[in-house]
Amino acid sequence: MYDLIRRCIEGDVRAVARLITLLESGDREAYAALYRLKDHAGRAQVIGITGPPGAGKSTLADKLIAQFRSRGLKVGVLAVDPSSPFSGGAILGDRLRMQGHATDPGVFIRSLAARGSLGGISKATHAAIRVLDAAGYDIVLVETVGVGQSEIDIVRVADMVVLVSVPGLGDDIQVIKAGIMEIGDIFVVNKADRDGADRVVREIRAMLELQAQLKRGQTPEGGPDTLAARAPEFLHHTGLAEGWQPKAGNESGAPGEKESITTPKPGVLPEAGTVSAALVNQEAGTISAALIIPPVLKTIAETGDGVKELADAIFSHFETLSRTGELERKRLESIRYQLGQFVSNEIVHLMSLPELAAAQDELAHKVFSRKMDVYSAGIALFHTIIEQGASHEHPQA
Amino acid sequence: MERKIRVLIAKPGLDGHDRGAKVIARALRDAGMEVIYTGLRQTPEQIVSAAIQEDVDVIGLSILSGAHNHLFPRVVELLKQSGAENVLVFGGGVIPEEDIPFLKSKGIAEVFGPGTPTSKTIEFIRANLKRPLN
Amino acid sequence: MTDLEKLEQDFNTWTTKVEKANEKYPERKKQFVTGSNAPVKRVYTPLDQKDFDYEKKLGLPGEFPYTRGVQPTMYRGRLWTMRQYAGFGTAEESNARYKYLLEQGQTGLSVAFDLPTQIGYDSDHPLSEGEVGKVGVAIDSLADMETLFGGIPLDKVSTSMTINAPAAVLLAMYIAVAEKQGVSADKLNGTIQNDILKEYIARGTYIFPPAPSMRLITDIFEYCAKNVPNWNTISISGYHIREAGSTAVQEVAFTLADGIAYVEAAIKAGLDVDEFGPRLSFFFNAHNDLFEEVAKFRAARRVWAHIMRDRFGAKNPKSWMLRFHTQTGGSTLTAQQPDNNIIRVTLQALAAVLGGTQSLHTNSRDEALALPTEEAVRIALRTQQIIAYESGVAETVDPLAGSYYVESLTDRIETEVLQYIKRIDDLGGAVKAIEQGYIQQEIQDSAYAWQMDVEKNERIIVGLNKFQVKENPPKGLLRVDPAVGERQKQKLAALRSSRDQGAVNATLAALRNAARSADNLMFPILEAVKAYATLGEICGVLREEFGEYKPNVMF
Ligand code: B12
Ligand SMILES: Nc1nc2c(ncn2[C@@H]2O[C@H](COP(=O)(O)OP(=O)(O)OP(=O)(O)O)[C@@H](O)[C@H]2O)c(=O)[nH]1
Ligand SMILES: [Mg+2]
């Protein structure tokens, strides 16, 4: 295991691939050894791509890889597809669209089956990200299962989420359901070659503004004079809008954001340290997510139109995230979540050990014969678990 | 926890016959395996690097257009060069019986022709994996 | 009581009686189905044709809606064209095979190209390695095409070329060869397949994305309408869809949906439906379920006639007629006991003839083993000839019409085809449905279901899952000389060094400009071909301008 980890850190592709396999199959030794990666991790920028099935996530990922490569960055991709609920098997189809990068040594693509997880990524995704990070991939793209409404786990593992939608999904924009809207840092309306893309863009923007207003009303920093409310104005005056909005009249014409030029739309917050630094400081000091209104971009993933602008937006958003401390907050939040996950996984694991299974069985019988009630039995079991857990040998030690 | 069997089903060369490959992919999925299908027109290089990144146990090659003698051995060769010999490589399609000894001598574990039940393919994989499942 | 009411009564009594007897002597199966899994009743009667309207549903042969056939006298006038698809190795070898086939009584040529040619790569392209000449003839330039048709007068034969993505280039070469033979383009007869949509769906030799591909196709329509009036500019193909595993209904539905997409594209490009409509031709499959297959052909004609007349407002009856080529179903043929395939092909060929095909390819018994040997091809051709000259089925038109079963099958197929077409219309047409993977997925589902049925012995394939015997490996299979690739590369190198490179560059530059404009691409392609620019060079320019198609695969 030590050797495998060392080779991963050196960027050995086979070792990376093998370690991910071990993590996927829940190998405890492998998880325990992950701590050795810690000095090498934390550098990668983790980008989630999510959205309804067939929205073009993989195609977009394929084109984004090319963008990142042209900027000299190494890219790791984790593409999650659903597992069959019947057989537990899976056909992992995302790679198909990215297979053009298969032989590029600066690109590593790995398909993961969801294996029963419902949140759009698999259990091992978080750990696999850390492995790619440590192996020297500058960017880690995570494509979620295209399941529609519930793939919110991605916010727990990614620094930033690109939410992809498409025109023509029906009367209401599918992605814009409660909850889903919240997770997007950047909104992409893909398949802009189809009718109705502009309408979707407008609707998403309207929703985002509404959302921001609601937040302003609720948060203590709120009020009409906050940065968020004035962000459009800033963008307009500082020209920062260019940072994420594609220029009008690009060659194909299709995904150009003509509209955004005439009516500048809210975008990312001006960075601290630029014109707006004073304002940032003037505010409470921390900038909450509520104040960053996500950009909305149009792309045609199939031809690559608008993808360069998307990559630009991703980078500029990263900068904003780190300047505003938002990145730190998100990562901390994610760690907290992972800790929670780890603990509950650990409890599940402990409960599967024979000693505890026996204890559980015994308690169940007691409840059944009405010697105990289920709640006190539960508490008793919990205490046994805790005791057992403390004495249980952990491979990490 | 038991590892899942991971299989890459690949169509090397320019051959467009994909009915069989897709049937196989689906049958393997329904047998609980995780299958990566790379689509048409794959070079041996693409196939091998996908196999390595995906850490598959098995590569299944499908050719019906007669270019097997050229393309199958190349895949095995490249795997060797990358130090990934523990991947089981086998194949199927329209392949004359008289070519099979040659392909086997080049490291193709087995060749299945027209009419082979998918259950036979599944059994073959389970019986011939080169890496243990746990 | 009307006659029908009386019959209904009798039928019910009869059914009760039969079911009773069934308890003791049950039928072979609980549920009988056709080759495409449609339910089959115990017996068909006038009760199944209650709203039968002869004039509306069938009409007379050669008349709307052409259910009974597109010509008034059908095979009493002229037999179908017997056309065996062939080609392999170099142009010289294929040329010899064509001459042999013509001597054997074949009445039309059908050219199979190798995969590099079909995908627009020259023989010296790295991806062509190992594929040159393997499954068809390798054509790199006009020089190869001159050899391929050497000594074959192009005003005397009709030639079908199975070429799709680069169809414009091969057609241009054909026109150029004819010109060298002193045959003008308006004397040429033949077909190019030129059906890109089914390449995306089922056949796999696509190059460019849908939009520029559709443009190439409509450019050909326009060019041929003016310059090569007797040429069938497209062969809208269900054959490959069926071979990829579809049902009979899906075969017709997806093919006609493709047809609709081509007609719409051409109309959008400013062509008049009656200008190109008569030159559209179709290509279907014939599988083993004789009645279902016959019904399929009849239903296809009826549906297409209505589409052209009612949906597109075509006025010329020739636009309403669905003319088609048929090939027997390769995927029904087994590697086990290959001689049994001769019988399967006989049934299938019979279905095609009873269904009113215009031309026919019969597969060889060694289908599942390798490209056919000369002997196997001869038997396949003889099969057609026996049907034509000995069976008597060609002596009257549409002999199965009026059969309660066949008419019911025809109606059912028509209904289900229309349902599919509606669904595809709702998705935004065939191109959208393909992009979304809908059509492919429907076919894959059918293919998988078929495979599972066979594996569970719910479908019996003689010699495969029943009546097996121990067999020795087949002997005497056709093998393509692996040196073909080298020979072809040498020829190509010689050509590249001997031709006028200036002319090649100039014509390719003109082609590039045309690709960027809205001009008809046939003209610059013809010029490039005549300057001996290679197929790979021409397609290379178009690849750069148009990009390449990325398939959508779904499971
Ligand atoms: C169906 C078919 C087609 C369809 C393909 C549809 C599709 N999307 O797949 C269509 C009509 C489009 C087609 C076209 C052509 N075809 Co074709 N086709 C066939 C046919 C009749 C059946 C193949 C098939 O799908 N069978 C059903 C599936 C389920 O079986 P299978 O693929 O054999 O797979 C089974 C086994 O082989 C095995 N298997 C296959 N792959 C793998 C992989 C692994 C890992 C394993 C374990 C097992 C395995 O398991 C499967 C299940 O039993 C065969 C002849 C035959 N009867 O085999 C010719 C055949 C393969 N075709 C042939 C040719 C030449 C062509 C063309 C190249 C002709 C041309 N010049 O244009 C074209 C071009 C195709 C292209 N783009 O490459 C030749 C190849 C000759 C050769 N090898 O020497 C054949 C042998 C016919 C012949 N005798 O001439 N074809
Ligand atoms: N018209 C159009 N089609 C596109 C565009 N981007 C992707 N597609 C097509 O949409 C289909 C689905 O694309 P994918 O990239 O596989 O979509 P996905 O979101 O990854 O799909 P899942 O992973 O299955 O959820 C494919 O046919 C693509 O070619 C686009 O910009 N325009
Ligand atoms: Mg995807």
Side-chain angles (χ1 to χ4, degrees), chain C residues 53-60 62-70 297-306 309 320-322 414:
Chain C
D53 176 340
Y54 182 86
E55 295 282 348
K56 243 173 91 187
K57 283 196 164 167
L58 305 192
L60 290 163
E63 284 174 24
F64 195 88
Y66 304 101
T67 310
R68 308 206 60 182
V70 293
F297 298 122
R298 301 171 83 244
R301 272 195 298 268
R302 186 152 86 206
V303 174
W304 187 247
H306 279 288
R309 194 190 68 177
W320 304 337
M321 294 179 194
L322 179 144
E414 177 184 25

Side-chain angles (χ1 to χ4, degrees), chain C residues 94-353:
Chain C
S94 293
N95 177 263
R97 175 67 75 100
Y98 297 154
K99 286 180 174 158
Y100 168 82
L101 285 169
L102 290 171
E103 278 162 26
Q104 290 299 307
Q106 175 164 310
T107 45
L109 292 180
S110 178
V111 184
F113 297 100
D114 71 356
L115 290 171
T117 306
Q118 295 190 48
I119 303 174
Y121 294 126
D122 286 333
S123 298
D124 56 1
H125 190 283
L127 287 172
S128 304
E129 194 74 37
E131 314 261 15
V132 176
K134 276 270 154 64
V135 292
V137 58
I139 300 292
D140 290 318
S141 74
L142 180 58
D144 294 327
M145 203 72 160
E146 288 162 2
T147 312
L148 186 65
F149 293 105
I152 301 173
L154 296 189
D155 51 347
K156 300 267 158 44
V157 291
S158 95
T159 304
S160 163
M161 292 191 276
T162 300
I163 194 73
N164 293 279
V169 186
L170 274 301
L171 174 61
M173 288 182 184
Y174 193 80
I175 294 170
V177 172
E179 206 171 274
K180 295 206 165 174
Q181 285 187 1
V183 175
S184 62
D186 61 329
K187 301 256 162 35
L188 294 177
N189 271 294
T191 308
I192 41 175
Q193 202 162 69
N194 200 23
D195 171 11
I196 198 66
L197 295 179
K198 68 87 180 56
E199 294 295 328
Y200 302 140
I201 296 173
R203 192 168 175 278
T205 66
Y206 40 74
I207 306 179
F208 316 113
S213 296
M214 295 300 268
R215 169 189 170 187
L216 275 165
I217 290 168
T218 51
D219 281 356
I220 292 172
F221 285 1
E222 186 191 44
Y223 181 88
C224 289
K226 298 200 178 81
N227 303 289
V228 205
N230 297 324
W231 197 264
N232 296 311
T233 49
I234 192 166
S235 170
I236 307 166
S237 306
Y239 181 77
H240 316 87
I241 290 172
R242 187 69 177 279
E243 287 300 283
S246 86
T247 64
V249 166
Q250 289 169 339
E251 175 190 354
V252 175
F254 300 154
T255 308
L256 299 190
D258 287 348
I260 290 170
Y262 293 124
V263 173
E264 281 173 350
I267 291 174
K268 211 168 146 199
L271 307 185
D272 180 76
V273 65
D274 282 320
E275 191 180 348
F276 64 86
R279 295 321 312 167
L280 302 179
S281 65
F282 289 81
F283 175 16
F284 288 114
N285 209 313
H287 274 208
N288 286 329
D289 190 321
L290 183 78
F291 295 118
E292 184 176 51
E293 294 300 303
V294 174
K296 175 187 80 181
F297 298 122
R298 301 171 83 244
R301 272 195 298 268
R302 186 152 86 206
V303 174
W304 187 247
H306 279 288
I307 290 172
M308 288 303 274
R309 194 190 68 177
D310 307 339
R311 178 170 178 156
F312 292 115
K315 302 263 173 340
N316 184 348
K318 288 216 154 73
S319 304
W320 304 337
M321 294 179 194
L322 179 144
R323 297 170 300 125
F324 66 100
H325 170 70
T326 305
Q327 180 172 335
T328 54
S331 59
T332 66
L333 306 183
T334 60
Q336 296 71 19
Q337 305 178 33
D339 286 347
N340 295 345
N341 293 330
I342 300 174
I343 292 87
R344 295 192 176 98
V345 168
T346 309
L347 284 170
Q348 298 166 2
L350 186 61
V353 171

Side-chain angles (χ1 to χ4, degrees), chain A residues 105-220:
Chain A
V107 178
F108 179 97
I109 301 167
R110 177 59 178 257
S111 315
L112 302 174
R115 300 196 178 171
S117 295
L118 298 173
I121 56 176
S122 72
K123 270 206 190 110
T125 306
H126 183 258
I129 292 172
R130 299 280 70 92
V131 174
L132 292 178
D133 181 359
Y137 293 95
D138 304 298
I139 303 268
V140 178
L141 280 177
V142 182
E143 179 188 339
T144 71
V145 176
V147 286
Q149 314 287 308
S150 59
E151 58 234 74
I152 38 178
D153 281 359
I154 187 68
V155 280
R156 312 285 192 195
V157 300
D159 296 330
M160 173 197 303
V161 173
V162 176
L163 188 51
V164 185
S165 68
V166 286
L169 280 180
D171 280 341
D172 51 334
I173 321 156
Q174 287 220 345
V175 289
I176 306 181
K177 290 279 160 66
I180 279 285
M181 231 14 216
E182 308 271 319
I183 71 169
D185 294 284
I186 294 181
F187 285 73
V188 168
V189 177
N190 187 39
K191 308 199 184 181
D193 50 327
R194 298 209 177 147
D195 295 340
D198 286 316
R199 212 196 74 206
V200 182
V201 170
R202 273 197 304 277
E203 285 175 26
I204 294 178
R205 281 193 180 140
M207 290 288 284
L208 289 170
E209 263 156 73
L210 188 73
Q211 194 175 304
Q213 270 165 23
L214 281 173
K215 278 192 182 148
R216 277 201 303 273
Q218 286 157 1
T219 47

Side-chain angles (χ1 to χ4, degrees), chain C residues 45 237 248 310 329 403 413 416 444 511:
Chain C
T45 65
S237 306
D310 307 339
S403 146
I413 292 173
E416 291 180 13
Q444 272 162 233
L511 174 63

